[in-house]
Amino acid sequence: MSLVETNPPNRALFSFEVTARQGRARTGLFRTPHGDLLTPVFAPVGTSATVKAVTPAQLQELGATLILANTYHLYLRPGDETISQMGGLHPFMQWPNPILTDSGGYQVFSMADSRRIDEDGVTFKSHIDGSIHRLTPEKAITIQENLAADIIMAFDECAPPYDRTTNERAVERTHRWAERCIKVKSRSDQALFGIAQGGIFHDLREESARFISELGFPGNAIGGLSVGETKEEMHTILSELDEILPEDKPRYLMGVGSPEDLVNGVLRGVDMFDCVLPTRLARHHAAITRNGRINLVNAIHQNDPQPIDESCSCYTCIHFSRAYLRHLIIAKEMLAATLLSIHNLHTLLQLMQDMRQSLVAGTFEAFAAQFFAAQEHIQ
Amino acid sequence: MSLVETNPPNRALFSFEVTARQGRARTGLFRTPHGDLLTPVFAPVGTSATVKAVTPAQLQELGATLILANTYHLYLRPGDETISQMGGLHPFMQWPNPILTDSGGYQVFSMADSRRIDEDGVTFKSHIDGSIHRLTPEKAITIQENLAADIIMAFDECAPPYDRTTNERAVERTHRWAERCIKVKSRSDQALFGIAQGGIFHDLREESARFISELGFPGNAIGGLSVGETKEEMHTILSELDEILPEDKPRYLMGVGSPEDLVNGVLRGVDMFDCVLPTRLARHHAAITRNGRINLVNAIHQNDPQPIDESCSCYTCIHFSRAYLRHLIIAKEMLAATLLSIHNLHTLLQLMQDMRQSLVAGTFEAFAAQFFAAQEHIQ
């Protein structure tokens, strides 16, 4: 017997524990092979194995823990086999903390004109060079095993939220595909999450959440939200799913990441989020604050010595004026995207930390009430 | 009398001291209001008040001390008066160490089709919006006083290196303009450097170096090199100027920054350099090493787990493979320019540090011989 045991038999590679609750909101600890995630957690998106415009060192300084990478993009470029040869995503992109990959489904289904779906999978055209490719549940798992993230996602069908017929079909297919994903998964150092679908239809959502929950995934995701439905519809569905999804497993709301959506999600029992919003807005010159967005290209900022947000403690706000940021934007300097990404990511990561702390302290409901009051004050 | 004296009367704001020599090469200490520069020093270029693709924090981590910003670009955008309102370049761009601004002359003279020169100054068209502007020696100093760098440059005329008639005229005019710059300069916390011109013509170079030296500037620059002449011509001129330019003042070779040019410059008594090369090459996918350049877009790097340079200790080489860097380039990710800029800047800044250390240790000639031997080995 070896004297060094990297994985003692009594310690599971993955575990989830809720450590405090208030109402339906909860905070907890999700253990993964690349470290512990304090939940609720927001994952910045690194589509092509880089969170755009920031280095991994800057991301770590921001306190990011989980990041998401996109299977569709990495499969096409540089290819999952190249990444596998480099030892997987962690060494490839030099992210030492947990990584989650999506299944590629969302990207493929969002390209309505360049894909054809059948019971076995999806045939699609690459957005890069028009070449033809095929994704199936088995292929999506193979690719994700090559990418070697800690958390991987079942291959699902995402339907337009108001289309009943398509959602009925998509839910059934998503369930059959989920079973195929479980069957083919082979790595023990990855946690496979299921995804519940169903558009805005309560019965379909309930059916899907029950089916996916019963498959016993170590985590469950809510797909097909934040894709065109109203905020009220999203909130209602989240509240309903909170009753069904297992309490003892993390719940992951995919593609959601505005400050108000994060607070609303946590209020309704969500533990994990990801979104391109902070980095995408940064490249479009917008700064996120808890009280709204500021577009720094506006001439009003030309001689403004203030930071984006007086109360913000990020590198950007500690150092740089709105005047400087506007100058960088007008001069088309890359540093603009970097500094705004740092600020926007900090805003969301700090919000998550504040929510976790208020949950531990038992003051989350007051925190949320204050948060929404400040928002109304601005609008 | 105040108990706190920020500028004790006996301590000049600027001073230069040579601390070791070997052959014509020297190392020294140049004191400025924003800190001490160990020479020979290489200044990364921050054209528009940002060294492209890196943050000031990354630049400091790289050990950069002096950086250069361009008067022409900043006068046009965001305007020197905006920067003055923000307290000058140091707070505006958040660079705590010394800054040097050029005079704007080089940029204006390089736009042969959109400027008209007369004895009093130059009228030129903005490359941004075609608007008409005028630079004179007086205006160049006013702008540079607004920008508030530590080291500012006299407004000079830079002529094509092989054109005798134009160089004769340019040298005379550069001398008259240098006198006008001295006359109008008003800030005591800035050091104004003179610039010697003369193309490849030895008599003009000698005349210009003598004239500029006699004006008593606290530092002297060599302009109009690295603009089309051969390496041999540049080296000959540097050797000749070394005899003329005052020993006790820093000598600044403008616009030079390949590793071999830096070593050749130091060998011939130069103390200061600046160049866009490391950051510009980075944006064109090329890595600088002491033994040559590597273009990372090449397919040969696709699955290469090696760093750019095994012997390099920069953030990029410690962390990232050539395969990852190539992927970032192909995927047009901003991180490519950031990581390559970090590597290229490190390569040049480390080279300067090694030269300074070998000068202190008395081993510089051996260092230079080894450096050139390694280069021949590669080619």
Side-chain angles (χ1 to χ4, degrees), chain A residues 197-259:
Chain A
Q197 288 289 351
I200 53 124
F201 305 102
H202 302 291
D203 56 330
L204 297 182
R205 280 285 171 190
E206 188 180 330
E207 178 200 334
S208 190
R210 286 199 196 288
F211 187 94
I212 293 296
S213 297
E214 280 162 16
L215 290 179
F217 289 107
N220 297 293
I222 303 156
L225 284 183
S226 200
V227 291
E229 81 287 354
T230 67
K231 295 287 179 198
E232 288 68 29
E233 285 164 339
M234 177 163 87
H235 298 163
T236 307
I237 289 165
L238 289 179
S239 297
E240 289 169 356
L241 293 186
D242 173 63
E243 310 279 319
I244 302 167
L245 296 173
E247 287 275 323
D248 59 346
K249 307 275 178 74
R251 294 102 167 253
Y252 166 29
L253 177 54
M254 305 182 78
V256 162
S258 73

Side-chain angles (χ1 to χ4, degrees), chain A residues 48-50 52-58 74 77-78 82 85-86 91-94 283 302-305 315 318-321 323-324 327-328 330-331 333-335 337-339 342, chain B residues 48-50 52-58 74 77-78 82 85-86 91-94 283 302-305 315 318-321 323-324 327-328 330-331 333-335 337-339 342:
Chain A
S48 293
T50 159
K52 289 187 197 296
V54 295
T55 64
Q58 287 167 331
L74 295 172
R77 194 168 59 190
T82 288
Q85 276 181 50
M86 297 295 132
F92 185 63
M93 69 185 293
Q94 287 287 300
R283 298 195 304 284
Q302 184 165 3
N303 295 306
D304 191 341
Y315 173 70
I318 285 175
H319 287 278
F320 302 98
S321 62
Y324 182 65
H327 161 63
L328 293 178
I330 300 283
E333 287 287 346
M334 280 190 253
L335 188 59
T338 298
L339 294 180
I342 286 173
Chain B
S48 294
T50 159
K52 288 186 198 297
V54 296
T55 64
Q58 287 168 331
L74 294 172
R77 193 168 62 191
T82 288
Q85 276 181 48
M86 297 294 131
F92 184 62
M93 67 184 294
Q94 287 287 300
R283 298 194 305 281
Q302 186 165 2
N303 295 305
D304 191 340
Y315 173 70
I318 284 176
H319 287 278
F320 303 98
S321 63
Y324 182 65
H327 161 65
L328 294 178
I330 301 283
E333 287 287 347
M334 278 190 253
L335 188 59
T338 299
L339 294 180
I342 286 173

Side-chain angles (χ1 to χ4, degrees), chain B residues 16 31 34 70 92 110 135 146 160 188 209 213 227 246 275 304 364:
Chain B
F16 179 68
R31 291 187 189 278
H34 285 88
N70 286 119
F92 184 62
S110 66
L135 267 182
N146 279 334
S188 61
S213 299
V227 291
C275 197
D304 191 340
F364 175 66

Side-chain angles (χ1 to χ4, degrees), chain B residues 227-238:
Chain B
V227 291
E229 80 288 356
T230 67
K231 296 287 180 198
E232 289 67 30
E233 286 164 337
M234 178 164 85
H235 298 162
T236 308
I237 289 164
L238 289 179

Side-chain angles (χ1 to χ4, degrees), chain B residues 233-292:
Chain B
E233 286 164 337
M234 178 164 85
H235 298 162
T236 308
I237 289 164
L238 289 179
S239 298
E240 290 169 354
L241 293 187
D242 173 64
E243 311 278 317
I244 301 167
L245 295 173
E247 286 276 321
D248 59 347
K249 306 276 179 72
R251 291 100 167 255
Y252 166 28
L253 177 54
M254 304 182 80
V256 162
S258 72
E260 51 280 20
D261 285 348
L262 294 173
V263 179
N264 273 310
V266 172
L267 271 170
R268 290 165 181 81
V270 175
D271 306 296
M272 298 166 61
F273 305 85
D274 82 276
C275 197
V276 295
L277 194 77
T279 45
R280 181 170 291 167
L281 282 180
R283 298 194 305 281
H284 292 88
H285 321 135
I288 301 173
T289 78
R290 288 196 191 178
N291 305 324

Side-chain angles (χ1 to χ4, degrees), chain A residues 25-48:
Chain A
R26 53 246 213 106
T27 181
L29 184 73
F30 184 30
R31 292 188 188 278
T32 85
H34 284 89
D36 297 345
L37 297 172
L38 296 173
T39 64
V41 64
F42 173 78
V45 174
T47 302
S48 293

